Amino acid sequence: AESLFISLLEHFAEPVSGALHAYCSKLEDGVAAGSDDDALALDGAYVALGVGAFALQPMWPFQEWFVSRAAPVLAWSSCEECESLSLARRVLLRRVLWLVSCWVAEIEESTRPPLYREVIAALSNPDAAVRLTACSTLHSLVSEWGFQPAAFADCFGPAVTALYGAVAASAETDSRIQLMEQVKVLVEVMGQDPIGRAAVTECALMVVEPLRGLWDACESANV
């Protein structure tokens, strides 16, 4: 199905883009009205939007779509009802986080600080799949060539806290390694800028203090 979709995009980009946009808009309206069935259908439509990102980029109003459609979904992780989200909405939240990583180069600088905060909030989501996807998305955001450490400085401490919290909540060793690797990546990319280095220095104890407990846990698990 994915191969067929990509082929259609290559040969009929404009009509496919228009049809996908109309279909997503209809489902997004349904999700806004509270439909879990539309949330699950929209998950599939967003897969198409992600795998076809390169071909769709000239025709898809990504920034407008992100602000009006994606941002409200990402805000589910920081709302008071986060823990009671339905399975369908958790699936959609995970998909939107993934979609951000597919379109990361199109995200405007003014949008990034609030986006960072929502992705960091998703690291504390009770759903493990959402947490790990948020970790991967955070990696894409800070590894992208246009990343500005200064714009992330205020988010560094909360990100480290959330990542260590996610490590503690994870039962699988591979998941813990992925989350710990992201702490390492954050320290490295922030070290490329004076403001970023200052943020790391300010939060140094926050970075190193949990390590002893993690080492002891790894030793007891023979890891």
Side-chain angles (χ1 to χ4, degrees):
E2 181 178 322
S3 177
L4 174 59
F5 176 70
I6 296 299
S7 180
L8 287 170
L9 266 181
E10 289 175 352
H11 296 92
F12 307 100
E14 289 191 14
V16 170
S17 174
L20 180 60
H21 192 280
Y23 183 56
C24 286
S25 294
K26 176 183 176 182
L27 294 174
E28 287 159 349
D29 289 341
V31 171
S35 171
D36 278 357
D37 288 342
D38 284 346
L40 291 175
L42 188 55
D43 172 64
Y46 281 171
V47 171
L49 182 55
V51 299
F54 180 78
L56 288 166
Q57 186 272 329
M59 294 159 287
W60 194 274
F62 178 81
Q63 186 65 24
E64 176 187 341
W65 168 85
F66 178 83
V67 172
S68 63
R69 300 297 197 174
V73 174
L74 292 173
W76 291 346
S77 264
S78 54
C79 70
E80 293 181 0
E81 297 80 16
C82 171
E83 294 191 6
S84 61
L85 281 177
S86 67
L87 176 59
R89 293 193 168 236
R90 280 181 277 149
V91 167
L92 185 58
L93 172 58
R94 176 182 175 275
R95 182 61 63 198
V96 171
L97 285 164
W98 170 81
L99 199 52
V100 167
S101 66
C102 297
W103 286 80
V104 64
E106 302 302 315
I107 299 171
E108 294 181 359
E109 288 302 319
S110 61
T111 307
R112 287 179 180 251
L115 173 58
Y116 294 148
R117 290 191 288 271
E118 296 298 354
V119 173
I120 291 168
L123 288 167
S124 301
N125 192 281
D127 190 302
V130 172
R131 293 196 302 269
L132 291 176
T133 305
C135 179
S136 296
T137 300
L138 182 59
H139 181 85
S140 297
L141 286 167
V142 303
S143 301
E144 196 258 335
W145 71 270
F147 174 69
Q148 299 293 327
F152 192 81
D154 291 340
C155 297
F156 178 77
V160 170
T161 299
L163 284 165
Y164 278 135
V167 170
S170 298
E172 299 295 327
T173 300
D174 287 349
S175 299
R176 292 181 175 183
I177 291 173
Q178 178 184 343
L179 292 158
M180 286 297 301
E181 179 66 20
Q182 185 54 42
V183 176
K184 171 178 172 287
V185 168
L186 283 180
V187 171
E188 290 176 347
V189 298
M190 294 298 284
Q192 300 171 8
D193 176 274
I195 296 177
R197 287 195 293 273
V200 175
T201 302
E202 183 179 344
C203 300
L205 185 61
M206 186 186 302
V207 174
V208 301
E209 195 170 32
L211 294 178
R212 178 59 184 269
L214 289 170
W215 287 331
D216 290 344
C218 289
E219 184 177 359
S220 63
N222 295 319
V223 177

